[in-house]
């Protein structure tokens, strides 16, 4: 492994759920691997590994991405939000709370990715009139094999209400 | 982990050109939504990367002093959807961007990567063909401009030479001003699916006649294509129901789809005829009821 780096490793600075980090990382790693293997943040899941299922969704500088096809080095200088950072002081985020209330979780494997997709969608559309179709489109990058999506849709609708 | 052999981060286009020249087997990495997938699947030829992800100089949408619209190659599909300039001037490109993947893919995938990978299903290609987009390519010998239709050399083959970086797409005012367009994608699923057929129509009307007409397809041949016979047949015709019959009849002579596991040739031909009519209809709606007025009315 060669390049303008230290034997294939490089130093990056970022914040993870608000905590500043300085990390020495293998440039071949995906952001998903960085989170799960190096930082022990195993809330973010790996489903397909190729951008199809959204289980690995996180926010990087408030942009929703699939962390399995995102190079870890790309987060240098950026702020990452994962599902672990969404609850504050023992209280679930409004999106998480709505998922619980609407029964939008079954096995839970897709849930961390869905929570981040919904959080991104809700923050982008706060205070706007949003159709069910827009919500579906806004979650088209996430797959769930249990719930049939109906309760997820309801949870997002609930989170959009002020 | 991605099985990379070499990795270089380019801090500028100039540096990317130099790095490409110095590393003959390397490729550019932009959004990575093609390359990183290929690496995951263990495909060879993608292990040496020059990273231009997020380079600010490649990520802009603007109009220059000559009214050309310039779209940087590193512009993501989300950037295109959210661009006020494109919503106003070339909404067809926003339609195409909307039809790509899901939100996560649109947030990462670039329009440059979409064209440089050379695939016929690239959703941004038919619109760019209809707009006669010029590709501004920076290489070791300076800048050249290549019309998008000449850029495609064959399936997966594009006119990029050693050391070349696609910098921007240039759309001149005679190709967009006063034109109304629409991109219609047909796929098996409404989202996260590649096009069975994609169709872009861009037209102008004057005195109830079609005064300019361009129609282009993705997946109707080994590369994206324009349809010269159809364009010739439509030009100057009255806006009428027969216009649509004419389009459906002539367009068959312009296309060459094939059978694949996704769809049979006959089915694709059927979709081509239908999309040609629908995209034309939608473009005419935009022409006759410009922004602000209600869509969905019949002409
Ligand atoms: C789940 C999923 C869904 C998808 N859905 C769609 C879809 O609906 N429609 C569609 O059209 N595509 C789709 N794609 C394919 C892909 O997202 C697009 O083709 C995307 O636009 C590629 O852009 P990128 O920046 O990610 O390319 P990269 O992977 O970074 O690069 C692609 C190719 O272009 C070259 N390249 C990139 N930038 C430049 C440049 N500036 N100069 C020279 N060469 C360059 C690279 O070297 C590489 O060969 C999908 C992909 C995935 C994973
Ligand atoms: S694991 Fe990343 S999209 Fe499926
Ligand atoms: S709850 Fe099981 S995959 Fe969604």
């Amino acid at each position: 492994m060669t390049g303008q780096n230290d034997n294939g490793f490089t130093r990056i600075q970022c914040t993870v759920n608000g905590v500043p980090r300085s990390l020495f990382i293998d440039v071949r790693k995906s952001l998903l691997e960085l989170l799960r293997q190096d930082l022990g943040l195993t809330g973010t899941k790996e489903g397909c590994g190729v951008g199809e299922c959204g289980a690995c969704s996180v926010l990087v500088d408030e942009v929703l991405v699939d962390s399995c096809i995102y190079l870890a080095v790309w987060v240098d200088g950026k702020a990452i939000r994962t599902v672990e950072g969404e609850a504050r002081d023992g209280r679930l985020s409004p999106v998480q709370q709505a998922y619980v209330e609407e029964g939008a979780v079954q096995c839970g494997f897709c849930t961390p990715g869905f929570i981040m997709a919904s959080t991104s969608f809700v923050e982008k559309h706060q205070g706007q009139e949003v159709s069910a179709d827009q919500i579906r489109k806004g979650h088209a990058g996430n797959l769930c094999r249990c719930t049939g999506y109906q309760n997820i849709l309801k949870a997002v609708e609930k989170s959009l209400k002020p | 982990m991605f099985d990379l052999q070499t990795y270089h981060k380019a801090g500028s286009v100039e540096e990317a050109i130099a790095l490409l020249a110095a590393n003959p087997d390397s490729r550019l990495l932009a959004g990575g939504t093609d390359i990183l997938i290929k690496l995951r699947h263990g495909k060879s030829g993608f292990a040496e990367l020059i990273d231009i992800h997020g380079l600010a100089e490649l990520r802009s949408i603007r109009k220059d002093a000559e009214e050309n619209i310039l779209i940087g190659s590193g512009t993501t599909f989300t950037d295109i959807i959210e661009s006020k300039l494109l919503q106003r001037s070339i909404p067809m490109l926003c339609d195409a961007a909307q039809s790509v993947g899901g939100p996560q893919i649109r947030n990462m995938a670039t329009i440059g990567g979409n064209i440089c990978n050379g695939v016929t299903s690239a959703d941004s290609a038919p619109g760019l063909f209809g707009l006669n987009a010029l590709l501004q390519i920076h290489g070791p010998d300076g800048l050249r401009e290549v019309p998008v239709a000449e850029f495609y050399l064959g399936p997966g083959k594009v006119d990029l030479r050693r050391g070349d970086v696609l910098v921007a797409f240039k759309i001149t005012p005679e190709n967009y001003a006063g034109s109304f367009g629409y991109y219609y994608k047909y796929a098996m699923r409404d989202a996260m699916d590649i096009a069975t057929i994609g169709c872009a129509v861009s037209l102008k009307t004057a005195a109830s006649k079609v005064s300019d007409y361009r129609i282009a397809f993705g997946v109707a041949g080994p590369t994206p294509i324009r349809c010269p016979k159809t364009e010739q047949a439509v030009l100057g015709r009255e806006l009428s129901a027969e216009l649509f019959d004419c389009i459906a009849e002539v367009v068959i002579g312009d296309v060459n789809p094939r059978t694949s596991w996704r769809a049979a040739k006959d089915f694709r031909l059927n979709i081509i005829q239908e999309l040609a009519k629908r995209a034309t209809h939608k473009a005419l709606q935009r022409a006759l009821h410009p922004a602000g007025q209600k869509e969905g009315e019949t002409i």
Side-chain angles (χ1 to χ4, degrees):
Chain A
M1 179 66 215
T2 56
Q4 329 111 306
N5 37 56
D6 199 344
N7 271 331
F9 278 73
T10 193
R11 179 152 307 273
I12 61 165
Q13 322 285 335
C14 59
T15 71
V16 182
N17 296 326
V19 181
R21 296 276 198 165
S22 174
L23 302 164
F24 195 55
I25 62 165
D26 189 322
V27 301
R28 296 170 301 176
K29 279 200 177 183
S30 68
L31 174 56
L32 179 64
E33 289 161 334
L34 174 74
L35 292 170
R36 291 182 57 91
Q37 298 169 358
D38 298 21
L39 301 177
L41 293 170
T42 54
T44 307
K45 303 298 181 214
E46 173 160 20
C48 64
V50 288
E52 298 276 350
C53 76
C56 64
S57 301
V58 299
L59 300 181
V60 177
D61 276 355
E62 307 304 332
V63 176
L64 184 71
V65 302
D66 290 323
S67 62
C68 70
I69 51 168
Y70 194 100
L71 283 191
V73 297
W74 288 345
V75 298
D76 191 23
K78 300 200 157 93
I80 309 161
R81 279 168 71 185
T82 71
V83 72
E84 285 91 346
E86 291 305 292
R88 301 276 149 76
D89 307 323
R91 292 185 59 173
L92 296 178
S93 75
V95 170
Q96 289 174 313
Q97 189 62 41
Y99 268 66
V100 172
E101 286 167 14
E102 294 300 327
V105 181
Q106 287 188 22
C107 82
F109 189 84
C110 71
T111 310
F114 258 104
I115 292 289
M116 300 319 288
S118 296
T119 301
S120 159
F121 185 86
V122 168
E123 288 176 0
K124 255 190 161 169
H125 294 88
Q126 203 57 258
Q128 295 173 25
E129 209 43 62
V130 172
S131 68
D133 203 48
Q134 274 175 292
I135 299 177
R136 284 201 191 90
K137 241 195 141 202
H139 292 72
N142 292 75
L143 292 178
C144 173
R145 61 190 288 280
C146 304
T147 65
Y149 302 105
Q150 200 51 40
N151 290 353
I152 293 178
L153 189 73
K154 283 192 204 149
V156 178
E157 278 171 348
K158 188 169 214 168
S159 322
L160 282 161
K161 299 221 175 84
Chain B
M1 277 202 281
F2 297 105
D3 194 8
L4 293 178
Q5 301 292 304
T6 62
Y7 171 85
H8 293 275
K9 178 125 196 116
S12 65
V13 170
E14 205 181 329
E15 199 182 331
I17 295 168
L19 283 166
L20 281 170
N23 298 272
D25 293 323
S26 62
R27 277 171 180 272
L28 295 175
L29 173 68
T33 60
D34 279 320
I35 288 200
L36 295 178
I37 307 287
K38 287 187 173 130
L39 269 173
R40 265 275 189 274
H41 289 149
K43 288 233 172 78
S44 61
F46 298 91
E48 301 188 26
L49 298 181
I50 311 251
D51 190 358
I52 53 168
H53 175 81
L55 265 192
E57 62 183 301
L58 294 179
R59 196 172 172 188
S60 72
I61 304 173
R62 62 188 178 86
K63 205 186 255 188
D64 70 10
E66 281 91 52
E67 298 282 305
N68 298 306
I69 289 182
L70 293 157
I71 304 173
S73 66
T75 303
T76 66
F77 288 117
T78 301
D79 294 336
I80 290 173
I81 293 165
E82 291 177 355
S83 160
K84 292 276 179 287
L85 175 60
L86 292 181
Q87 284 168 15
R88 219 172 33 239
S89 307
I90 320 180
M92 167 173 71
L93 288 182
C94 304
D95 304 335
Q98 272 292 0
S99 79
V100 173
Q104 293 90 333
I105 296 294
R106 292 193 289 274
N107 285 343
M108 294 299 295
T110 68
I111 187 168
N114 200 230
I115 296 303
C116 288
N117 66 27
V119 302
T120 185
S121 59
D123 281 309
S124 64
L128 292 169
F129 269 64
L131 293 161
N132 289 327
L134 294 169
L135 277 61
Q136 299 189 314
I137 299 170
H138 264 292
D141 306 323
L143 177 75
R144 63 197 166 97
E145 280 188 352
V146 181
V148 66
E150 291 171 26
F151 185 67
Y152 283 84
L153 303 176
K157 287 195 78 167
V158 293
D159 183 14
L160 281 177
R161 303 167 198 162
R162 177 79 354 238
D164 274 353
V165 178
L166 169 63
V167 175
F169 298 88
K170 176 165 130 187
I171 300 154
T172 58
E174 60 275 21
N175 284 297
Y176 75 85
S179 291
F180 295 88
Y182 194 86
Y183 177 70
Y184 213 119
K185 173 174 176 174
Y186 180 93
M188 291 308 175
R189 293 181 65 215
D190 274 350
M192 297 294 281
D193 201 359
I194 75 161
T196 305
I197 293 289
C199 175
V201 165
S202 178
L203 52 75
K204 288 183 192 168
T205 56
S208 296
K209 289 200 168 97
V210 184
S211 56
D212 186 16
Y213 186 75
R214 293 124 186 243
I215 179 164
F217 284 96
V219 210
T223 64
I225 46 164
R226 278 276 286 270
C227 299
K229 292 180 192 139
T230 315
E231 294 181 3
Q232 201 60 42
V234 168
L235 204 65
R237 285 187 70 125
E238 298 271 349
L239 303 181
S240 67
E242 289 86 72
L243 177 67
F244 295 97
D245 299 335
C246 159
I247 292 169
E249 198 184 308
V250 184
V251 75
I252 295 295
D254 275 318
V255 296
N256 182 25
R258 66 180 188 108
T259 293
S260 77
W261 65 269
R262 271 176 207 280
K265 176 173 177 152
D266 283 350
F267 179 64
R268 283 195 213 272
L269 284 171
N270 208 324
I271 297 298
I272 286 168
Q273 290 182 299
E274 194 56 34
L275 290 201
K277 290 192 279 185
R278 289 195 197 181
T280 304
H281 190 261
K282 290 278 194 183
L284 277 173
Q285 280 184 343
R286 281 188 175 158
L288 302 177
H289 310 280
Q293 276 180 269
K294 249 180 69 194
E295 271 210 33
E297 296 162 285
T298 46
I299 53 163

